[in-house]
Amino acid sequence: MITGKNYIGSQLSANGDKTFKTFNPQENIDNSWQFIEASNEEIESAVTLAHKAFLTFQKSTGKEKALFLRTIADEILALGDNLLDVYCQESGLPRGRAEGERGRTIGQLNAFADLVEEGSWVEAAIDTAIPDRVPLPKVDLRKMKRPLGTVVVFGSSNFPFAYSTAGGDTASALAAGCPVIVKSHPMHAGTGEMVASAVIKAAQKTNMPEGVFSNLNSSGIEVGVTLVKHPLVKAVGFTGSIKGGRSLYDLAGQREEPIPVFAEMGSINPVVLLPEALKQNSEKWAVACAGSVTLGAGQFCTNPGLMLGIKSDALKTFTKQLAAEILKISPSCMLNPSIYKNYQSNNELLSSQSGIEVVAEYAKTDYPNYASQKILTVSGKIFLENPVLHREVFGPFSILVQCEDEIELVSIIEKLEGQLTGSILAEENEIENYEEVVDALGNRVGRIIFNGLPTGVEVCPSMVHGGPYPSSSDSRFTAVGIGSIKRWVRPFSYQNWPNNKLPEALQNENPLGIARLVNNVQTRDSI
Amino acid sequence: MITGKNYIGSQLSANGDKTFKTFNPQENIDNSWQFIEASNEEIESAVTLAHKAFLTFQKSTGKEKALFLRTIADEILALGDNLLDVYCQESGLPRGRAEGERGRTIGQLNAFADLVEEGSWVEAAIDTAIPDRVPLPKVDLRKMKRPLGTVVVFGSSNFPFAYSTAGGDTASALAAGCPVIVKSHPMHAGTGEMVASAVIKAAQKTNMPEGVFSNLNSSGIEVGVTLVKHPLVKAVGFTGSIKGGRSLYDLAGQREEPIPVFAEMGSINPVVLLPEALKQNSEKWAVACAGSVTLGAGQFCTNPGLMLGIKSDALKTFTKQLAAEILKISPSCMLNPSIYKNYQSNNELLSSQSGIEVVAEYAKTDYPNYASQKILTVSGKIFLENPVLHREVFGPFSILVQCEDEIELVSIIEKLEGQLTGSILAEENEIENYEEVVDALGNRVGRIIFNGLPTGVEVCPSMVHGGPYPSSSDSRFTAVGIGSIKRWVRPFSYQNWPNNKLPEALQNENPLGIARLVNNVQTRDSI
């Protein structure tokens, strides 16, 4: 059941007076549920509870946190088909996507459960004392990761499960030992409330402290701003637009005590088409590019919004093939009319720039909120000179840039903003033959792909989902994979601390059996 | 020989018109050398050269970088006694300190050389492909750390060797593969130039690219501001005051492309005196506290500027003993008249606060720039209410706060700003009996010390030198120890990249023999 209320810890609460509804873009009507925006009093309660919860939650063992995370996964599954129905009603996304994304979310929760249960993630390091060292004795020092405190998570519009209420940011923060307050995404507040109810049930079943999780509704920016400015909030996770992410980043930086914000803000994910690859496989790459551009109505932060080629007959052939392929694909529904409207206006803005030609455009459909895909093309020179063409158009849209030569290609890549990904479609020998292209691309992205398209983000330890600004606010971290826990922890040293009073991870006996760096040697042995 | 010029890469350059001199605080006179502040043109050249150097330097092997770092160490030693003389003339610090700090600096350079030569620091992780996975094939993903780009290092006043020109920030950034531009500290610009000459010699001897290192003179803030705002600068390391660090942090955050700033901004390093410890060992702890407060004229970021006790007869005894001990120690010379002047005015400001009593104050000496140590005392209630008393007084100075009870002690600790360290002087059973005190302190510091004083920062992998704001600008990193390299690198993924085109760290054969996470298992095996 969806109540429309906020979860302030385990309590449903609705003492605010601002309400809003979510929207069904397939039906083009409001959903029936009414959500009550969190009041300042409720925000204060959630933060105070979270801060109190932190004092005990930070001491939870890996096993306890693992049980909590696995129970969240179980409780999400226990919501059954009803949850998938609400997801589809609030996002316009198809049922298969809902199921797949739920699976991914469950997988993420379980991966973090495995990580903290095993325990080596705390990066324990021990340097034992040398009391008779001259001129000064060496002290005993032992280091491990420790959680930062309360984390505020801003759910994303395009991943109602995997990057929202109990998504990657929440799972990694809870795994770290940080209480989480979710600023629920207004487009899928019902999905959010249901998932929040699963988290709350899991917290109760596994005896987590009250306030370890809260879920706050809001349709505007006020709730988020109040949360980010609150002195007891210690970090922020965000997935969304550059404008939204940057404003939170700025707010957090202006606090008396600045706090880290990890904002994943999307990008245009350049795909470089090298000459031999096009000569050999232009048809194959046209099919692949058309599929990647239109996947999920282009509503992925890894959507390839930019293709870069060097003028040649093969590029001409590819362009024609791409046009044909793109027109074979039926348009899909976007997440929300506001996103559809933004797509339309950004699409028109870029299409109207001087020097732009249309490669292919799918005719407008009769369905409201369905995005017709479009491919533009432009010369390298014009692309270089016009920053408007570098903007992300969130939707099934891409620009094919035709460079004069390799030099122009390199200078375009060097001038790109930071990107989550960069793809190279090439024959193997072209990696060496176009070394400057590959090097330049590596310096602008977080993940480089050989002969593949950027959509599809594998959740595994070797994934980097992040990259130079503005694809993320701090390229030193990733939003996907177990490494994303590092956003919420800090190293902490114990000096000369009595062995039996240390956390288990640092005790001589190594009772957790974790991997540790002992006197600069990696080992699972006891001391 | 000291020329007073800037190193723009390997070239000595002085086309600016602003000059300054360093000062000998022991002699109370200007030193003879004249330094020419870097011009905007020189700054631009240094940054452009560094950016160009990055394109090749980032590809240097671990062995090549190790040789560079070890050669820097050798070249510093080759400067011989002359370097130590200049150090002493520009800092007023004694010869023994100069030698010790040079040893530490050499040790740091060699430790980073060992780290990058061994190679596992890149945190290589590999997830191999599963082409027949359903519903979707699993791609091959391989991740490792990659340098950010040009790093600007602001040398500190109080560590002319270990946290300046070729100190921890520079050594860790070069080890990471980042070119370094040092904004030399104006108080020891001669020492800086000599050390810079060693770095340049080493770069030439080991065939590093021109521009991998530059050293810029400046007496004011302009050079630093220009550097931090430059689009081709990608990160900043700073050691100094909160005011200086925060202003750089703000500048970096306001850039179109914000960049990370790691600023270590010092703290007051609370020392908690628990009742049993004072009952058993008040004399021992009075001697230790007096020594730590006055060490190096109190000019350490780990100086214990705050002692917290609970009212008792033992605390009264300790206070008397501390007064006696502190007066046994001869004052020392401060680094510079401006630092001496700041010490005097901050000392007077805190001494003049209402409710303050003087425990002991060494009489003013006849030597200019010699700081007389001082201990104040105040009630917990007054300390809690007056934020002026929480300020760092850089010098041989400390406040002993007398709390009514454990509750007041906890509330004071909770209200403290973030600190580099916190010390607990206690009998072992008091760690449990005062659990709330210990927990509260842990949440405010980067390093917690049992029965020891905070001065003395062991350089080893388990050291954390950093902590919650404002002791550092980002508690997720450390400025000391091999872990400090993580400030300058970002994770980077290769997807489906041909094996023989990957960096060696990620190739199947594991030619470097490094520790890697392969399909979620830690191993040095090949694939």
Side-chain angles (χ1 to χ4, degrees):
Chain A
M1 199 196 78
I2 293 170
T3 67
K5 297 183 180 178
N6 307 281
Y7 274 106
I8 310 302
S10 65
Q11 301 302 306
L12 281 167
S13 174
N15 70 20
D17 46 20
K18 202 165 161 189
T19 63
F20 65 97
K21 292 189 163 193
T22 59
F23 192 84
N24 184 328
Q26 293 276 11
E27 306 285 339
N28 208 32
I29 51 165
D30 273 341
N31 288 307
S32 56
W33 318 292
Q34 176 161 285
F35 298 92
I36 301 97
E37 190 148 333
S39 66
N40 282 335
E41 190 189 309
E42 286 165 332
I43 297 170
E44 187 62 33
S45 297
V47 175
T48 308
L49 276 178
H51 183 66
K52 215 177 139 207
F54 178 58
L55 299 178
T56 53
F57 186 52
Q58 67 174 314
K59 291 182 175 183
S60 304
T61 64
K63 276 194 198 320
E64 288 164 346
K65 288 185 291 186
L67 182 63
F68 179 28
L69 293 165
R70 292 206 180 96
T71 308
I72 295 173
D74 293 344
E75 292 295 334
I76 290 173
L77 286 173
L79 291 167
D81 284 358
N82 193 9
L83 177 63
L84 302 180
D85 293 340
V86 174
Y87 173 107
C88 294
Q89 283 171 264
E90 294 190 320
S91 68
L93 294 169
R95 185 72 166 215
R97 161 71 191 268
E99 281 184 55
E101 196 187 325
R102 184 179 63 178
R104 177 174 166 164
T105 307
I106 301 303
Q108 289 172 170
L109 288 160
N110 288 329
F112 281 109
D114 292 347
L115 183 77
V116 296
E117 192 163 55
E118 194 280 328
S120 300
W121 74 274
V122 299
E123 296 178 23
I126 297 175
D127 290 282
T128 53
I130 307 176
D132 55 356
R133 188 181 65 175
V134 283
L136 285 172
K138 184 175 182 187
V139 295
D140 182 285
L141 273 164
R142 301 182 183 219
K143 180 171 81 168
M144 64 182 285
K145 297 290 192 192
R146 176 183 182 115
L148 292 179
T150 298
V151 173
V152 169
V153 171
F154 288 79
S156 71
S157 66
N158 59 343
F159 278 95
F161 288 151
Y163 284 87
S164 291
T165 323
D169 287 357
T170 297
S172 56
L174 291 176
C178 298
V180 168
I181 300 174
V182 170
K183 206 291 283 173
S184 182
H185 199 285
M187 288 182 194
H188 43 74
T191 309
E193 187 192 325
M194 289 184 76
V195 173
S197 76
V199 180
I200 293 297
K201 261 195 195 155
Q204 290 175 324
K205 281 191 176 172
T206 59
N207 296 311
M208 290 293 137
E210 173 67 1
V212 71
F213 180 84
S214 288
N215 183 58
L216 306 183
N217 294 319
S218 90
S219 58
I221 63 163
E222 298 80 2
V223 171
V225 167
T226 306
L227 283 168
V228 172
K229 287 171 130 178
H230 199 293
L232 293 179
V233 167
K234 299 301 179 188
V236 177
F238 171 90
T239 310
S241 69
I242 294 180
K243 194 180 156 209
R246 179 64 188 250
S247 64
L248 295 180
Y249 178 88
D250 288 343
L251 270 180
Q254 288 154 10
R255 288 168 46 125
E256 192 179 322
E257 177 196 351
I259 54 173
V261 172
F262 188 86
E264 188 270 88
M265 300 178 281
S267 63
I268 55 174
N269 303 292
V271 176
V272 178
L273 313 151
L274 290 182
E276 272 302 304
L278 286 191
K279 260 194 206 162
Q280 307 292 332
N281 290 302
S282 70
E283 175 80 32
K284 172 183 151 189
W285 292 128
V287 173
C289 287
S292 186
V293 167
T294 54
L295 191 72
Q299 299 168 117
F300 291 111
C301 37
T302 51
N303 190 62
L306 179 65
M307 293 173 283
L308 301 167
I310 299 172
K311 280 183 184 169
S312 70
D313 287 344
L315 186 63
K316 280 185 197 155
T317 308
F318 168 82
T319 309
K320 278 182 205 152
Q321 288 163 331
L322 178 63
E325 291 302 325
I326 206 93
L327 296 177
K328 289 182 189 167
I329 298 166
S330 300
S332 327
C333 185
M334 296 199 89
L335 295 157
N336 190 273
S338 65
I339 288 179
Y340 174 74
K341 208 177 128 194
N342 274 338
Y343 171 62
Q344 289 300 109
S345 62
N346 286 327
N347 178 333
E348 280 160 28
L349 174 69
L350 269 71
S351 302
S352 68
Q353 299 299 303
S354 140
I356 282 285
E357 285 175 51
V358 176
V359 172
E361 178 174 22
Y362 203 97
K364 200 167 161 12
T365 71
D366 291 339
Y367 303 104
N369 309 315
Y370 271 58
S372 296
Q373 54 266 26
K374 191 175 198 174
I375 308 282
L376 305 179
T377 190
V378 70
S379 72
K381 185 171 181 292
I382 290 180
F383 183 79
L384 254 181
E385 287 167 357
N386 186 352
V388 173
L389 298 173
H390 294 231
R391 284 196 204 170
E392 183 182 1
V393 177
F394 192 72
F397 176 97
S398 197
I399 302 185
L400 173 62
V401 176
Q402 303 183 43
C403 303
E404 286 302 321
D405 49 26
E406 187 186 349
I407 296 169
E408 190 174 75
L409 176 57
V410 170
S411 56
I412 286 176
I413 294 172
E414 284 176 345
K415 221 186 157 184
L416 289 177
E417 290 189 316
Q419 306 287 334
L420 291 168
T421 73
S423 302
I424 303 262
L425 306 184
E427 293 299 296
E428 264 196 48
N429 60 4
E430 292 183 289
I431 294 187
E432 267 151 18
N433 296 346
Y434 291 86
E435 195 186 1
E436 279 191 55
V437 172
V438 177
D439 286 352
L441 193 62
N443 283 329
R444 304 309 301 136
V445 309
R447 172 167 58 113
I448 197 164
I449 301 158
F450 179 69
N451 281 347
L453 277 296
T455 42
V457 177
E458 184 71 34
V459 182
C460 67
S462 307
M463 172 55 72
V464 173
H465 191 67
Y469 186 90
S471 69
S472 78
S473 54
D474 190 342
S475 68
R476 296 174 301 172
F477 298 92
T478 171
V480 171
I482 48 177
S484 63
I485 197 171
K486 295 190 186 174
R487 296 174 294 172
W488 322 122
V489 291
R490 62 187 177 96
F492 183 82
S493 287
Y494 293 86
Q495 182 171 320
N496 285 346
W497 210 255
N499 183 57
N500 63 347
K501 308 285 192 287
L502 283 165
E504 285 190 313
L506 297 179
Q507 290 176 6
N508 287 337
E509 299 77 11
N510 195 12
L512 302 176
I514 60 175
R516 313 191 291 189
L517 189 73
V518 177
N519 294 323
N520 226 357
V521 177
Q522 200 71 39
T523 175
R524 287 182 190 261
D525 293 345
S526 61
I527 293 168
Chain B
M1 200 197 76
I2 293 170
T3 67
K5 295 183 180 180
N6 306 281
Y7 273 105
I8 309 302
S10 65
Q11 300 304 305
L12 281 169
S13 174
N15 69 21
D17 46 20
K18 203 168 159 187
T19 63
F20 64 98
K21 291 189 164 194
T22 59
F23 192 84
N24 184 328
Q26 294 275 12
E27 307 284 340
N28 208 32
I29 51 165
D30 272 343
N31 288 307
S32 57
W33 319 292
Q34 177 161 285
F35 299 92
I36 301 95
E37 191 148 333
S39 66
N40 283 335
E41 190 188 309
E42 285 165 331
I43 296 171
E44 188 62 33
S45 297
V47 174
T48 308
L49 276 179
H51 183 67
K52 212 176 142 208
F54 179 59
L55 300 178
T56 53
F57 186 51
Q58 66 175 316
K59 292 183 174 181
S60 304
T61 64
K63 277 194 198 315
E64 288 164 345
K65 288 185 292 187
L67 182 63
F68 179 28
L69 292 166
R70 291 205 180 96
T71 309
I72 295 173
D74 293 345
E75 292 295 335
I76 290 173
L77 285 174
L79 291 167
D81 284 357
N82 192 9
L83 177 63
L84 302 180
D85 293 341
V86 174
Y87 173 106
C88 295
Q89 282 170 264
E90 293 190 322
S91 68
L93 293 168
R95 185 72 168 216
R97 161 71 191 266
E99 281 184 54
E101 197 186 324
R102 184 179 63 178
R104 178 175 168 164
T105 307
I106 300 303
Q108 289 172 169
L109 288 159
N110 288 329
F112 282 108
D114 292 347
L115 183 77
V116 297
E117 191 164 54
E118 193 282 328
S120 300
W121 75 274
V122 298
E123 296 178 21
I126 296 175
D127 290 281
T128 54
I130 308 176
D132 55 357
R133 189 182 64 175
V134 283
L136 286 172
K138 184 175 183 186
V139 295
D140 182 285
L141 274 164
R142 304 185 181 216
K143 180 171 81 167
M144 65 182 285
K145 299 290 192 192
R146 177 182 180 115
L148 292 179
T150 298
V151 174
V152 169
V153 171
F154 288 78
S156 72
S157 65
N158 59 342
F159 278 95
F161 287 152
Y163 283 87
S164 291
T165 323
D169 287 357
T170 297
S172 56
L174 291 176
C178 297
V180 168
I181 300 174
V182 170
K183 205 293 282 172
S184 182
H185 199 286
M187 288 182 194
H188 43 73
T191 309
E193 187 192 325
M194 288 183 77
V195 173
S197 75
V199 180
I200 293 297
K201 260 193 195 156
Q204 291 175 322
K205 280 190 177 173
T206 60
N207 297 311
M208 290 295 137
E210 173 68 1
V212 72
F213 180 85
S214 287
N215 183 59
L216 306 184
N217 295 320
S218 89
S219 58
I221 63 163
E222 298 80 3
V223 171
V225 167
T226 306
L227 283 167
V228 172
K229 286 170 129 176
H230 200 292
L232 294 180
V233 167
K234 298 302 179 190
V236 176
F238 171 89
T239 309
S241 69
I242 294 180
K243 196 182 154 207
R246 178 65 188 248
S247 64
L248 295 180
Y249 177 89
D250 289 344
L251 270 179
Q254 288 154 10
R255 287 167 49 125
E256 191 179 324
E257 177 197 351
I259 53 171
V261 173
F262 188 87
E264 189 269 89
M265 302 178 280
S267 63
I268 55 173
N269 303 292
V271 176
V272 178
L273 313 151
L274 289 182
E276 273 301 305
L278 286 191
K279 261 194 204 160
Q280 306 292 332
N281 290 303
S282 69
E283 174 81 32
K284 172 184 151 187
W285 292 128
V287 173
C289 287
S292 187
V293 167
T294 54
L295 191 72
Q299 299 169 117
F300 291 112
C301 37
T302 51
N303 191 61
L306 179 65
M307 294 174 281
L308 300 166
I310 299 172
K311 281 182 183 169
S312 70
D313 286 345
L315 186 62
K316 279 186 198 157
T317 308
F318 169 82
T319 310
K320 278 182 205 153
Q321 288 163 331
L322 178 63
E325 292 302 325
I326 205 93
L327 297 177
K328 288 183 189 166
I329 298 165
S330 300
S332 328
C333 185
M334 295 198 91
L335 295 157
N336 191 273
S338 66
I339 287 179
Y340 175 75
K341 207 176 130 196
N342 274 337
Y343 172 60
Q344 289 299 109
S345 62
N346 286 327
N347 178 333
E348 279 159 27
L349 174 69
L350 268 72
S351 302
S352 68
Q353 299 298 302
S354 140
I356 283 285
E357 286 174 51
V358 176
V359 171
E361 179 174 19
Y362 203 98
K364 200 167 162 12
T365 70
D366 290 340
Y367 302 103
N369 309 315
Y370 271 57
S372 295
Q373 55 266 28
K374 190 176 198 174
I375 307 282
L376 305 179
T377 191
V378 71
S379 73
K381 186 170 182 293
I382 289 179
F383 183 79
L384 254 180
E385 287 166 358
N386 186 351
V388 172
L389 297 174
H390 295 230
R391 284 197 202 167
E392 183 182 2
V393 176
F394 192 73
F397 176 96
S398 195
I399 301 184
L400 172 62
V401 176
Q402 302 184 43
C403 303
E404 285 303 319
D405 49 26
E406 187 185 349
I407 295 169
E408 190 174 76
L409 175 57
V410 170
S411 57
I412 285 175
I413 294 172
E414 284 176 345
K415 223 186 155 184
L416 289 177
E417 291 188 315
Q419 305 287 334
L420 292 168
T421 74
S423 302
I424 303 264
L425 307 184
E427 294 298 297
E428 262 196 49
N429 60 4
E430 291 183 291
I431 293 186
E432 266 150 19
N433 296 346
Y434 290 87
E435 195 186 0
E436 281 191 54
V437 172
V438 176
D439 285 353
L441 193 63
N443 283 328
R444 304 310 300 136
V445 308
R447 171 168 58 114
I448 197 165
I449 301 158
F450 179 70
N451 280 347
L453 278 296
T455 43
V457 177
E458 184 71 34
V459 182
C460 68
S462 307
M463 173 54 73
V464 173
H465 192 67
Y469 185 90
S471 68
S472 78
S473 54
D474 191 341
S475 68
R476 296 174 300 172
F477 298 92
T478 172
V480 172
I482 50 178
S484 62
I485 197 172
K486 295 190 184 173
R487 296 175 294 174
W488 322 122
V489 292
R490 62 187 178 96
F492 183 83
S493 287
Y494 294 85
Q495 182 171 320
N496 286 346
W497 210 256
N499 183 59
N500 63 347
K501 307 285 191 290
L502 283 166
E504 286 190 314
L506 297 179
Q507 289 176 6
N508 288 336
E509 299 76 10
N510 195 13
L512 302 176
I514 59 174
R516 312 191 292 190
L517 189 73
V518 177
N519 295 322
N520 225 357
V521 176
Q522 200 70 41
T523 175
R524 285 180 191 263
D525 293 347
S526 61
I527 294 170

